[in-house]
Amino acid sequence: MPGFELFGAEERKEVNDVLETGILMRYGFDGPRKGMWKAQELEKAITEVFDCQYAHLTSSGTAALTTAMSALNIGAGDEVIMPSFTFVASFEAVLSVGAVPVLVDVDETLTLSPAAVRAAITPKTKCVMPVHMCGSMADLDALKIICTEHNLILLEDACQSIGGTYKGKALGTIGHAGTFSFDFVKTITCGEGGVVMTNSEDVWTKCDGYTDHGHDHKGVDRGADLHPFIGYNFRISELHAAVGLAQIRKLDTFLSLQRKNNKALRAYLENIPELSFRRVPDEAGDSCSFLSWFLPTEALTKAVIAEMKEQGILAGNFYWYANNWHYISKWDHLKNAITLNRLSDVQQQALLKLKDSSFAASDAVMSRCISTAISLLWTEEQIKEKGEKMVAVIKKVLANATVNA
């Protein structure tokens, strides 16, 4: 997710604006900052680009999720249904507010299986949190129906799908709230940062205070602010916001290049009949940051990974099933409830149950999946070389499998 690949003079200009004033904090210091409010500018740009009513920046995507959950009154003992394939930050945020992560299977969208969500609902369920992984989206129509039927919050973790859409609406703007991450390897980067997007003024107001120690930001200066509730320091800095401000102006270029290069690489893999591709609920809305494809069996998939590694072309191809950050099979710290601070009894019991939980449906999907990251910088010659080498590896493995059968 390569916003950092096209980092240049535009970002340096915005950062230098901040450095020239010397005011790195997003609040206060009205005089010395000389009218420079980069965080406010970026928040306004986010509402315009993604067509949402409100946006509030945070220090990270993880902080954005934590902030959104707090603003949505998700807390102690509440169950949050989320996918078994995500980034660790998703369950970290759930635990941070005292809630209980309920992990369920994904399907060939690589996101929440609506049937698995239905089966997991209990009287303690408060929220359904789809994670729009690898640039594409969950089946949001099905999830919205479930949430409406059971009066549940729909919170979108869209941190990996900036610029993706579903039926014309930006991912992250469809639920009660949604989040992006702007870390170094996201489609738009601030270096570090995140945002909560919502169409609820109440949710936005709570996010605004929660990320700044509970300040209501209604005083004539910070010292005159009141504190209607307890908050924390999840503020973004003006330096980080400045980087994001330059990046968001390039988003259309990023998406255009991603889609072009994704399509070009896919054309090579489509010539192999044994391969299939990720199911995308709205293909027009895929941001195309990854090309995700499936082999017929786990054994063949592992053989392709091994052969790619042997030939020195594995870089940029992700086998999530064996990835330490993204799939439940590798989250021993979660399943053993290993934390530095003591969890609530309810949280600890729920996590320990994961050790004996079956995710066979997810395993059947993820064990056969390889996701290829799409670079903005590839030339046509590089795509041709990459595509031909990948095809050669896959055909070699398939041929060997046939001979040895």
Side-chain angles (χ1 to χ4, degrees):
M1 292 167 282
F4 70 90
E5 290 185 335
L6 294 180
F7 189 95
E10 302 90 343
E11 288 80 2
R12 284 189 285 273
K13 183 268 178 192
E14 296 296 332
V15 169
N16 283 336
D17 284 350
V18 176
L19 292 176
E20 286 174 7
T21 69
I23 307 304
L24 310 186
M25 186 176 179
R26 72 160 296 173
Y27 296 113
F29 304 96
D30 295 27
R33 70 171 61 244
K34 300 176 182 177
M36 201 78 65
W37 301 89
K38 298 297 184 182
Q40 289 184 19
E41 278 192 73
L42 179 53
E43 287 167 346
K44 184 173 186 296
I46 289 167
T47 63
E48 293 171 349
V49 169
F50 299 106
D51 192 24
C52 59
Q53 290 294 312
Y54 304 98
H56 185 75
L57 291 166
T58 62
S59 54
S60 69
T62 313
L65 280 171
T66 299
T67 298
M69 289 181 199
S70 296
L72 292 164
N73 193 31
I74 298 168
D78 292 333
E79 292 180 351
V80 178
I81 297 175
M82 57 173 289
S84 56
F85 173 50
T86 180
F87 180 57
V88 293
S90 301
F91 64 72
E92 290 167 353
V94 175
L95 291 170
S96 75
V97 298
V100 176
V102 177
L103 281 78
V104 303
D105 280 316
V106 298
D107 56 27
E108 289 201 353
T109 65
L110 303 185
T111 65
L112 277 178
S113 160
V117 171
R118 279 194 180 277
I121 293 172
T122 75
K124 294 180 180 179
T125 305
K126 184 75 172 282
C127 173
V128 174
M129 185 172 72
V131 184
H132 305 307
M133 288 295 288
C134 302
S136 184
M137 76 293 296
D139 185 345
L140 285 167
D141 278 350
L143 296 178
K144 285 168 67 178
I145 289 170
I146 292 170
C147 288
T148 299
E149 287 177 357
H150 295 273
N151 194 28
L152 302 175
I153 293 166
L154 179 64
L155 171 60
E156 295 176 80
D157 180 342
C159 291
Q160 285 201 10
S161 295
I162 298 170
T165 60
Y166 182 73
K167 299 188 176 180
K169 293 184 178 180
L171 299 179
T173 70
I174 297 166
H176 293 86
T179 63
F180 288 157
S181 168
F182 297 138
D183 74 19
F184 190 59
V185 289
K186 294 299 186 290
T187 305
I188 295 173
T189 181
C190 292
E192 287 287 357
V195 69
V196 180
M197 296 172 293
T198 184
N199 292 311
S200 165
E201 183 177 6
D202 178 64
V203 170
W204 172 80
T205 299
K206 290 173 180 175
C207 290
D208 180 59
Y210 187 80
T211 56
D212 188 28
H213 302 293
H215 280 266
D216 65 4
H217 301 135
K218 294 179 179 179
V220 293
D221 57 40
R222 285 182 67 76
D225 287 348
L226 299 178
H227 298 84
F229 51 78
I230 293 171
Y232 298 90
N233 179 4
F234 291 148
R235 297 187 301 259
I236 197 168
S237 78
E238 286 288 276
L239 285 174
H240 290 93
V243 174
L245 190 57
Q247 287 265 298
I248 199 170
R249 294 168 183 155
K250 300 179 180 181
L251 179 61
D252 286 346
T253 299
F254 295 168
L255 294 173
S256 176
L257 289 170
Q258 274 181 182
R259 287 167 175 152
K260 177 175 72 72
N261 292 347
N262 186 300
K263 182 179 180 181
L265 182 62
R266 177 169 175 149
Y268 288 91
L269 299 188
E270 285 178 331
N271 291 319
I272 303 176
E274 292 87 350
L275 294 191
S276 59
F277 295 88
R278 173 188 193 168
R279 181 167 63 84
V280 179
D282 179 3
E283 291 189 5
D286 189 353
S287 74
C288 293
S289 54
F290 285 86
L291 176 62
S292 296
W293 43 284
F294 301 96
L295 284 132
T297 68
E298 177 181 341
L300 287 171
T301 310
K302 288 181 174 177
V304 166
I305 289 293
E307 184 65 25
M308 282 183 166
K309 186 175 183 179
E310 177 69 23
Q311 295 193 21
I313 63 169
L314 183 59
N317 293 283
F318 295 90
Y319 185 45
W320 306 116
Y321 191 59
N323 183 283
N324 287 341
W325 296 352
H326 290 88
Y327 189 57
I328 191 168
S329 64
K330 294 292 186 177
W331 294 337
D332 290 338
H333 63 315
L334 179 70
K335 291 181 282 188
N336 290 305
I338 301 171
T339 59
L340 297 182
N341 59 296
R342 191 173 69 84
L343 297 173
S344 71
D345 291 343
V346 172
Q347 288 177 313
Q348 184 153 0
Q349 290 166 11
L351 297 189
L352 293 177
K353 283 182 181 178
L354 291 173
K355 288 194 294 185
D356 299 317
S357 298
S358 171
F359 293 91
S362 296
D363 290 344
V365 172
M366 301 309 303
S367 64
R368 299 183 297 106
C369 178
I370 297 173
S371 294
T372 304
I374 304 299
S375 172
L376 304 182
L377 301 178
W378 287 341
T379 63
E380 290 184 12
E381 292 76 15
Q382 287 172 322
I383 294 173
K384 181 175 185 291
E385 179 183 10
K386 188 176 187 72
E388 289 177 346
K389 286 182 176 179
M390 289 173 67
V391 166
V393 164
I394 296 163
K395 286 185 174 180
K396 177 181 177 181
V397 169
L398 291 172
N400 287 341
T402 301
V403 170
N404 295 326

